[in-house]
Structure formats: C-alpha cells, structure tokens
Amino acid sequence: MNRIVTLDEFIIQRQKDFPFASGELTGLLRDIGVAAKIVNREVNKAGLVSILGVADGSNTSGDTVQKLDLYANEKLIDCLKNSGECCGIASEENEDFIPIPALADKTSKYVVVFDPLDGSSNIDVNVSVGTIFGIYRRKSDPSGPCTLEDFLQKGTELVAAGYVLYGTSTLLVYTTGRGVNGFTLDPSIGEFCLSHRDIQIPARGHYYSVNQGYYLKFDVEMRRYIDHCSDLNLRLRYIGSMVSDVHRILFQGGIFLYPNTRKYQHGKLRLVYECNPLSFVVEQAGGKSISCQLQRILDIQPETLHQRATIAIGSPEMVDEMKEFVEKYSPAALY
Ligand code: AHM
Ligand code: MG
C-alpha cells in the first residue's frame, strides 16, 4: 500500500525547497486547508436545509442561517485572521480589502485574495462549486497596515494559488510555482491526501466550455472559433462554475472561454481573485491563459479590486488556435 501523504505533511516538505522560508506561507496554506474543510462540511449539508426547518432564515436552534457564500467568506476570513499569517484579505464578497492587524507584533508579509464560493448559484441544485485563492507578497511598508497596491499586483507576482472543488469528492489543487499538486479530502480521517502529483494539462483535449447561450452576443471572431470547435465535434461542457469547468479542462484537456458579451463588455469573471489564480495553476500545469483581446492574463495590470476580464484558458495548442482565429477574423484584422 502507498503511504498516505497529507496536505500538511506535503506543505512542510515543500517548505524545504525554499531555503529562507520563514514558515509563514506554509502556515497560510494550512489555514486555507482548514477553512476548506469547514466550508466543505457546510456545503455537504446544504441539501438538508429544508429538512432541518429553515424557512425564515433561522434554523431549529434559532441560529440565523446564512447564505453559503457568505458563510464561506466568513470562515475563510476567520481562519486567516486568527493565525496572523497574512496582513490583509480581499474577497469577492467584500467591496474593500480587509487589513488584518499584526498579532503580538508579528508582522506578516503576505496578502490573500479569494472567491469564497464560486458558482454559488449551483448549490441549490446540488452541483459542484469551489473556492479560488491567491497569495501575494505585500508591496507596502511592513510597519504599517496593508494598502490597495498590495492587492493590485499582476498575476505574475503570485506566490501561490489554487482552488478547492466541492464535487463528488472534495479536492484541493495548488501551486507555489513549482508544479501543481492535488489533494483529495478523505472524510473518514478529515485530511486532504495527496492524490494527483505534478498535474500536467494535455496539449489538446476533446472539450470546450463556454456559455453557448450567449453565442449571438459574442464578437464575430469568437463565434467563428466556437463554430470551429463544433466542426471538430468537440464536446461542449458548461457547468456554470468556473472552478468546476476549468478543473475538467486541467485534467482532461480542452478550452474554457468567457468572452465579452453585449452585457459584459469587459467579460464577467474577476481578474484578481478568479482569473489570475486559475491562470497561474493552469500555466504551471503547462497550459495557457489569455484574454479574448489576446493579452496573457497574468500580465494584465489590475486597476481595481473587482475588475473584470475576458478569458480563454486551457490546453496550450487550443489557446493558440483560438488566438489565430481572433487574429484572422477580428474586424481590426479584416479592415
Ligand atoms: P460567481 O462568482 O458570482 O459565482 O460568478 C462566477 C461564475 C463562474 O463560476 C461561472 O463560470 C460564471 O459565473 C457563469 O456565468 P454565466 O451564468 O453568465 O455563464
Ligand atoms: Mg466567482
């Protein structure tokens, strides 16, 4: 039998790869692992809400019941705050970033960005959702509170990033820039165990993932590319939870697209805490990630915390092919 390697054990082993590591990043990744287990417990119970008598926003014990995305947000913030391993947090659920005061003079050099529960509209119908996270080294003076510039860093500055997928099993996938590894939660022992070592994305795949319902709202070059995917008999899969859709592409190969539409002229997905962390993971696995305007996602300079971006992410050969379609068919290229 193979020896089980837990997430905590793996993170500590990997700390040795960084000779001057202080253990802070290790601590942060462990905090995220703990928060993921707490969120997982609640996500698994979501279907019981109606049985346990939640009609008016309170459960049978009289506690107020929160929406799961807010619950996930609160748990992640609590876990990160309590350990003092980071000096600030930015979340999809909070308009502004949250500075975290130093604990007992322990100043931290990291900030964390996350989407606590991505694709949360899927919860009501028992379909997969996920958490996305990214960790940056702070830019501001460590003697004071963190500042906005700590969060508005290009994705190329990410120190670590990953996601948790609450699916048929719960999986945590992360990278610190030296490959991508995946850990499956074993509910019987309550530990994430190493299950996918050094994940590599296939160069091509059989899947494309896009909200085809918006087809007529896409630019012509994107419609041409989607027609091409259909001509190739690629299989269309779209869950409506970016984590789940990108996860499939990472493991089986393919391309995930969220282009600009008439409604979302700059795309819908958020650059800082959705596109960047997933792009870092996919690039580390050998994939590519660009905007539909052909800029590498990780090279985009964020101007605001909740900035949106278009995205084409996945198998390297397929992203290159999509790029060729845009170059060939965009009106700018035609005239
Ligand atoms: P959310 O963060 O509010 O859950 O929204 C993000 C989600 C992504 O997970 C998913 O890819 C996309 O929105 C789906 O959007 P649409 O319904 O427009 O296809
Ligand atoms: Mg989201």
Side-chain angles (χ1 to χ4, degrees):
M1 198 178 98
N2 287 336
R3 202 178 80 77
I4 290 173
V5 179
T6 66
L7 175 64
D8 286 359
E9 204 180 332
F10 187 86
I11 294 170
I12 291 166
Q13 276 173 16
R14 284 296 164 106
Q15 189 182 322
K16 295 185 200 124
D17 293 348
F18 301 89
F20 302 105
S22 60
E24 252 179 275
L25 180 62
T26 304
L28 265 180
L29 290 166
R30 287 170 64 172
D31 291 343
I32 291 170
V34 171
K37 286 188 220 172
I38 299 173
V39 173
N40 176 65
R41 189 189 60 202
E42 290 307 302
V43 168
N44 282 335
K45 284 198 308 201
L48 291 171
V49 163
S50 52
I51 304 171
L52 297 178
V54 183
D56 56 356
S58 62
N59 63 19
T60 43
S61 345
D63 301 329
T64 304
V65 176
Q66 285 177 308
K67 282 182 68 189
L68 264 180
D69 40 11
L70 298 181
Y71 178 89
N73 193 41
E74 201 178 286
K75 289 302 152 199
L76 268 156
I77 294 173
D78 286 351
C79 287
L80 292 167
K81 256 187 184 168
N82 292 340
S83 67
E85 305 286 12
C86 74
C87 63
I89 291 168
S91 160
E92 173 165 0
E93 299 296 337
N94 298 86
E95 194 52 38
D96 296 318
F97 66 90
I98 305 169
I100 299 179
L103 282 181
D105 291 338
K106 181 178 163 193
T107 50
S108 167
K109 53 179 181 292
Y110 295 106
V111 296
V112 181
V113 297
F114 55 81
D115 180 354
L117 215 54
D118 179 58
S120 48
S121 63
N122 280 327
I123 290 172
D124 292 345
V125 285
N126 224 342
V127 174
S128 305
V129 288
T131 298
I132 308 172
F133 63 89
I135 301 175
Y136 288 96
R137 200 165 278 118
R138 73 182 295 180
K139 292 268 181 211
S140 57
D141 180 350
S143 61
C146 64
T147 64
L148 184 60
E149 69 161 335
D150 296 325
F151 300 93
L152 299 185
Q153 299 191 49
K154 290 182 184 176
T156 45
E157 301 298 312
L158 276 163
V159 174
Y163 63 85
V164 185
L165 174 66
Y166 311 99
T168 41
S169 53
T170 298
L171 204 75
L172 188 151
V173 172
Y174 85 95
T175 180
T176 52
R178 296 183 179 207
V180 184
N181 293 283
F183 301 79
T184 304
L185 182 63
D186 180 341
S188 65
I189 57 170
E191 292 283 359
F192 280 105
C193 302
L194 180 60
S195 49
H196 301 83
R197 205 183 267 274
D198 197 18
I199 299 165
Q200 294 290 321
I201 191 169
R204 306 189 62 86
H206 297 294
Y207 296 102
Y208 72 112
S209 184
V210 62
N211 189 336
Q212 191 122 6
Y214 300 153
Y215 180 84
L216 293 175
K217 321 277 188 314
F218 294 146
D219 293 341
V220 63
E221 61 274 21
M222 204 48 63
R223 296 204 298 263
R224 292 277 181 122
Y225 177 67
I226 291 169
D227 292 346
H228 169 72
C229 292
S230 173
D231 281 346
L232 291 177
N233 281 328
L234 295 187
R235 297 166 206 154
L236 172 64
R237 296 285 186 277
Y238 191 71
I239 296 171
S241 148
M242 187 194 193
V243 174
S244 318
D245 284 314
V246 170
H247 177 74
R248 179 201 307 280
I249 300 293
L250 179 65
F251 277 70
Q252 300 188 324
I255 188 164
F256 171 90
L257 304 159
Y258 205 114
N260 43 298
T261 63
R262 275 181 226 149
K263 181 174 173 195
Y264 294 113
Q265 296 193 357
H266 304 287
K268 177 187 177 193
L269 300 171
R270 312 295 182 142
L271 175 62
V272 172
Y273 42 79
E274 292 180 324
C275 298
N276 269 340
L278 293 181
S279 299
F280 188 35
V281 170
V282 167
E283 282 202 5
Q284 277 294 311
K288 291 194 176 177
S289 179
I290 59 175
S291 72
C292 297
Q293 292 67 42
L294 308 187
Q295 193 174 4
R296 182 184 175 212
I297 290 288
L298 296 180
D299 282 336
I300 300 175
Q301 174 61 55
E303 306 292 339
T304 61
L305 215 47
H306 299 284
Q307 179 171 334
R308 297 176 193 271
T310 58
I311 190 165
I313 181 170
S315 292
E317 291 182 9
M318 295 173 77
V319 174
D320 286 344
E321 213 164 63
M322 172 267 170
K323 186 167 175 257
E324 282 166 26
F325 268 78
V326 172
E327 282 166 350
K328 193 165 168 193
Y329 294 110
S330 73
L334 293 175
Y335 298 105

